Structure formats: C-alpha cells, structure tokens
Amino acid sequence: MTADLSAATSVVELAESVVQTGAKTLGSLPGGADANQVLAYDLAHAAAAVATAHSLLEYGAKGELEARITNAFVADAVAELASKLFGREELWGVDSGALDGAKEFLQTYRSPEFLAELADAGPGPRHLDKDFEPVQDAFRDFTNEQIAPRAEHIHRENADLPEDLIAGLAEIGAFGLSIPEEYGGFGAGGESEYIGMVVATEEFSRGSLGAGGSLITRPEIMTRALLKGGTEEQKNEWLPKLATTEVMNAIAVTEPDFGSDVANLKVTATRDGDDWVINGVKTWCTMAARADVLLVLARTDPDRSKTHRGLSLFIVPKERGDGHGFDFEQEGGGKMSGRAIDTIGYRGMHSYEVSFEKWRVGAESLVGGEDGLGNGFYYQMAGFENGRLQTAARAVGVMQAAYEAAVTYANDRHVFGKPIADYQLTKAKLARMAVIIQAARQFSYTVATMMANGEGTLEAAMVKAYVCKAAEWVTREALQIHGGFGYAEEYPVSRYFVDARVLSIFEGADETLCLKVIARRLTADSAT
C-alpha cells in the first residue's frame, strides 16, 4: 500500500479547523473554560493530539515507513477527536458532518490489515541529528549497564537511590546538560541543549522513571529558575555544584491545600533583620531527604490579594536526611521535618511532606536578591515550563520500555499453538503502541526546537498533556499482553504501568494544565 501524505495533511487541516471552531465557541460561552470545563478539557486534549499529528507530517516526509507511521497516527488522532465530537457537535459549534471528509482516510489507515502490516515493520527510525547519535548511545549504554539492572530492586523494596548511581550520572554529564559552560555545565545554548536534554531523559527513563529520568528533573528546574532570575553570585555559587552533584536539590512548591493552584500558596517567608523566617507545610517534595538544598516558593507579601505577585523564591540549604524521614533543628530553634509519603510507583527518590517552623535563612537565599521580591512565581514557572517538556520525554522513555517488553513477551509466549505476536489483535496493539511512541518522540523534538528559540509555551503544555495520557494506554496494553504475569511482580511491565500513572499528575496536573493553560490559550488565540 502506498502511503499518501497529502491526504494526511488535508485531514490534519480539517481537524485543526474543528479545533479552532471549538475554541471560538468556548470563548463565546459565559464563563469560558472555567464554567465549561468538560468542553475545555476535551478541546485541550483534542488540540494536543492534533498538534502532535501536525508535527509528525515533517517526519512522514522522510521515507515510506515514516509516512505509514504518520498516516496511522493522524487517523488515530482524528478518530479520538471524532469520539469527543459525537453527540456534542452543538456544544462545539460544528456541524454533525464536520469530519466526514476524513472518513475514507480513517477507514484506510485504521484498518486491522494496515495496522498488522505496520506491526511487522517496526517502530521506524528516530532521525536524530548525527551529532546526537553518540550522545544517545552513551546514555543508553549507561542505562542498560547501571540503571536498568537496579530498577526492580529499588521499586520493589522502595529503596534509596545508590550513591554510585548518582555519581555515575554526574560523570557522564547528565546533571549539567542545561547548565551553561561558563557555570561548569555542558549547555551550549540553542537547539542542541534542549534536544540533548530530551534524548537523555528518554533514555534514562527507559531504564527507570524514579531512578533514572526523573533524577535530572529537579536540577533542570532549579537551573532554569536561576538562569531566569538569579543573581550572578547565586549562579556562580549553585550552578557548578548542581552540575557535579556536589549539591542535589529538591523542589518545594506544592502545599496540602494548593496543588496546581500555585498562585495562592500559604507558606510564608517573613523578613527578620537580614534573615528570612519560613513557616508552613509543603508536600510532594520529591527527594527532599537526600537533597542538600530545597528550592522553596513562599509568600513574602502578607497581602493575599496579590496572589502570585506576592511570592518569592528561596534556596534553602539543609543537611542530608534519612530516606524515609528527617528532623532538623537550628540553633535558634528553627525546625524542619520531612515525612515520607508512600506511593504505588515512582520510587527511589521518595516524596515528602516538609514542615517548616521558624526556619531561618540568610538574605543571600532570596533568588534574585531584592529584585526577586514578588517575582518568585515567574522564576519557578520558567523551571516548570521546561519541566513539562522533560516530563513528556520521561513518558516516552517509559512507553518505549513497555513496548519493548511487550514485543519480547508476545514473541516468546505461545497460545493455541503459536506466538501471541502472530495474532491480529496483538499486532494491532503493538502497531498502535509504536506509532504513538514515535509521534510523541517527534513532537518532543519539535517542542524542544521551539523552546530553544524562545517559543513553545503552549506546545510544551500540549506535549505534556498528550504524551503523559498516552503513556497510560501504552503501559496498560503492554501489561495486558503479558496476561497474568503482567499483574505479577515478576516482570518489570507492572512497574511501567504504575510509574506511568503519575505522569499526568506531577509537573502540572492534567486537568489544570488543560483548563488553565491550553484551553485558555486556545480561546485567546481564536479571538485574535
């Protein structure tokens, strides 16, 4: 079958027009996204899938297999859009036959026969620039030799991360990918810096989400925050130490009553002479015990009506604590304690509820110095924006691991006289997995390029929303292919499944990301 990329382009354009109409309709409704959350949420996810399809068209032009993968994904994305539209056309403001022009395309590229053939062809090439191939190989080798063999033990025992694993990642430059060379890192700026981060994150996450890909997330967030607003003294003090892991950091933003509602945080930092005194409770602070410093977002202006404009960012040094909890006390009576939160997956670094009681830090801890007062929200968001892209790369790595495990098991497992990989249903599942993973990967590359050029804020939110939700389906089907053994703890696929579930929760909960970022931006753009 000859793939027709021009047809895919036309179908993507049709889907984009439906999304645009939906955005205009949402913008015209009283209360917008906040009052019409179901429409806003569906619109955001549909837009993310269609944007992923659009980005894949360039990949599809690189070869026959690439075109087939692209056609399959476009058909899948438009079918997803159609499922959201059916019965709600009036709500979206479109005609009931709005996607009729895509039916023939979907019939061709969603057919079981086409998918079965695609499964036999494999996942397709990544088309990384040749400069990144040796980088990818180095990270993959480290993952295979150092991360993957330890991943199951860390997960099953909820064990602490081995120090030699952290040291090994530092030796290959994993913690300095986004730190500029003048501060002791390997970041050269531009596209190579962002693509390198995506490639590294995917490879490490393929070995383990908790003990691999996510290890480099916290330094990445702190680095971006310091580059955005830190003083020159702060950059010189902390960035070289982050690059070598002389200092490991954790991020303390979320609070028990305020998850993604960052603007209304309650933890306070009050000036006392030349010091700041921090009081309150943070939660879901991953790696807080092992960390040498916490990046704490706190309210420095008591006028809560200022919301995000009253927040400032602090670098809070601390001792290293035990992996399952810690208590520290300062000479002046300040206290910091951490309670580990048990989780079903994403283990190794551990997440904590961290309490501050009159915890005192010096003036040098305020990111940006006096100029940073009231700007902490913006510095933190600079870190989180890149964190969304990195989380998408983490999801790709987990999906890739699940897919590889499913392919291996499907070829080894015989049922009714032949490998289950030979059955049409299994082929269709494996093909769809491969297509989704490649589309997610290519969109991550596209967004990385955009961010390197100072663009891509909306697209970073979209890639996070789409890819992380897709990871739940991919890992579920990989587990299902394993049958009963997938539900047992004898195979790593069960780890991939529970790890994937956290991806739509952290770095911006899926609902908040869709309603507060993507839907709002879509409606704003549709009004211009």
Side-chain angles (χ1 to χ4, degrees):
M1 180 183 298
T2 301
D4 186 354
L5 208 59
S6 62
T9 302
S10 296
V11 169
V12 169
E13 291 173 352
L14 177 62
E16 288 174 334
S17 70
V18 169
V19 169
Q20 291 166 3
T21 300
K24 288 181 180 179
T25 302
L26 177 63
S28 69
L29 295 175
D34 289 337
N36 301 275
Q37 293 186 344
V38 173
L39 173 58
Y41 182 77
D42 283 352
L43 175 68
H45 266 291
V50 173
T52 306
H54 185 112
S55 75
L56 198 59
L57 293 172
E58 182 178 347
Y59 174 82
K62 295 178 179 178
E64 177 64 23
L65 176 57
E66 293 89 336
R68 292 167 69 194
I69 289 171
T70 299
N71 283 333
F73 183 80
V74 170
D76 199 66
V78 176
E80 181 181 335
L81 171 60
S83 71
K84 290 176 169 58
L85 276 183
F86 190 73
R88 290 180 174 171
E89 293 89 350
E90 184 176 351
L91 180 62
W92 281 64
V94 300
D95 297 331
S96 59
L99 291 175
D100 282 355
K103 282 185 177 179
E104 184 177 346
F105 182 88
L106 266 64
Q107 184 176 356
T108 300
Y109 294 109
R110 297 189 78 228
S111 73
E113 294 79 14
F114 176 77
L115 291 174
E117 291 178 9
L118 197 55
D120 293 334
R126 302 184 184 204
H127 287 297
L128 264 179
D129 186 281
K130 63 179 181 180
D131 292 338
F132 292 110
E133 290 177 359
V135 176
Q136 181 188 49
D137 290 343
F139 292 149
R140 179 174 295 168
D141 289 344
F142 184 88
T143 295
N144 291 340
E145 295 168 8
Q146 300 295 331
I147 299 176
R150 311 182 193 203
E152 282 301 293
H153 168 74
I154 292 171
H155 174 71
R156 304 302 174 202
E157 302 299 325
N158 198 20
D160 296 343
L161 294 177
E163 288 297 322
D164 67 311
L165 179 60
I166 296 173
L169 284 166
E171 286 178 11
I172 62 173
F175 295 99
L177 292 170
S178 298
I179 296 175
E181 294 174 349
E182 60 263 37
Y183 299 112
F186 301 96
E191 181 179 339
S192 63
E193 180 178 309
Y194 284 84
I195 294 288
M197 180 271 293
V198 168
V199 170
T201 302
E202 178 188 338
E203 289 302 328
F204 296 149
S205 299
R206 186 177 60 82
S208 170
L209 179 66
S214 293
L215 256 179
I216 62 176
T217 302
R218 268 135 293 283
E220 175 78 19
I221 292 173
M222 183 167 171
T223 294
R224 296 292 176 185
L226 285 175
L227 291 176
K228 175 72 173 179
T231 65
E232 198 59 34
E233 292 78 7
Q234 289 168 338
K235 293 174 189 175
N236 281 307
E237 171 70 17
W238 298 110
L239 293 180
K241 294 177 181 178
L242 290 174
T244 62
T245 66
E246 179 183 344
V247 163
M248 295 288 285
N249 74 287
I251 308 297
V253 173
T254 303
E255 297 180 7
D257 294 329
F258 299 95
S260 298
D261 185 10
V262 176
N264 289 300
L265 298 179
K266 294 169 63 177
V267 166
T268 61
T270 306
R271 199 191 296 266
D272 183 18
D274 292 333
D275 294 340
W276 290 90
V277 180
I278 301 174
N279 286 283
V281 179
K282 295 289 186 179
T283 194
W284 296 115
C285 186
T286 302
M287 211 172 177
R290 171 59 179 81
D292 303 288
V293 297
L294 305 179
L295 193 64
V296 180
L297 189 61
R299 185 163 299 284
T300 49
D301 193 319
D303 183 357
R304 292 186 58 78
S305 68
K306 291 185 178 180
T307 60
H308 65 281
R309 296 185 302 279
L311 300 175
S312 302
L313 196 60
F314 293 87
I315 301 170
V316 180
K318 58 174 284 295
E319 298 176 32
R320 294 181 184 179
D322 182 82
H324 295 278
F326 57 88
D327 289 284
F328 301 125
E329 187 167 347
Q330 295 176 319
E331 287 186 7
K335 297 179 180 179
M336 179 195 298
S337 61
R339 177 184 66 84
I341 303 170
D342 289 333
T343 56
I344 61 173
Y346 190 49
R347 294 172 175 170
M349 292 182 291
H350 313 299
S351 291
Y352 300 83
E353 181 178 89
V354 180
S355 299
F356 301 92
E357 183 180 341
K358 299 179 181 179
W359 190 263
R360 188 175 293 270
V361 296
E364 70 280 1
S365 290
L366 175 61
V367 175
E370 290 299 312
D371 291 339
L373 272 177
N375 288 316
F377 176 85
Y378 304 104
Y379 302 158
Q380 189 69 71
M381 289 305 107
F384 280 167
E385 185 176 299
N386 203 62
R388 290 168 184 165
L389 171 60
Q390 193 176 33
T391 299
R394 286 188 275 180
V396 174
V398 174
M399 287 193 288
Q400 183 67 34
Y403 169 74
E404 292 173 4
V407 169
T408 298
Y409 187 87
N411 281 292
D412 292 343
R413 175 67 168 166
H414 286 64
V415 175
F416 302 119
K418 63 179 181 179
I420 60 174
D422 290 348
Y423 289 97
Q424 185 190 63
L425 181 57
T426 306
K427 286 177 178 289
K429 287 183 177 184
L430 292 174
R432 188 169 180 237
M433 285 183 201
V435 165
I436 287 173
I437 294 168
Q438 192 63 262
R441 177 181 294 120
Q442 297 301 322
F443 193 27
S444 297
Y445 294 165
T446 298
V447 175
T449 300
M450 296 179 72
M451 293 185 71
N453 293 318
E455 304 169 345
T457 299
L458 172 62
E459 288 76 11
M462 283 182 165
V463 72
K464 200 269 186 187
Y466 175 77
V467 177
C468 293
K469 199 165 186 179
E472 295 177 28
W473 182 85
V474 169
T475 56
R476 179 202 180 279
E477 291 304 321
L479 187 152
Q480 187 70 25
I481 285 173
H482 281 72
F485 285 110
Y487 197 66
E489 293 194 337
E490 297 180 28
Y491 287 80
V493 72
S494 61
R495 168 167 56 90
Y496 306 145
F497 179 64
V498 294
D499 280 354
R501 190 59 196 88
V502 76
L503 294 166
S504 290
I505 297 173
F506 62 22
E507 308 297 345
D510 184 53
E511 293 80 5
T512 302
L513 201 61
C514 287
L515 299 178
K516 302 295 185 181
V517 180
I518 300 174
R520 284 186 177 180
R521 175 68 181 275
L522 290 173
T523 55
D525 289 350
S526 70
T528 58

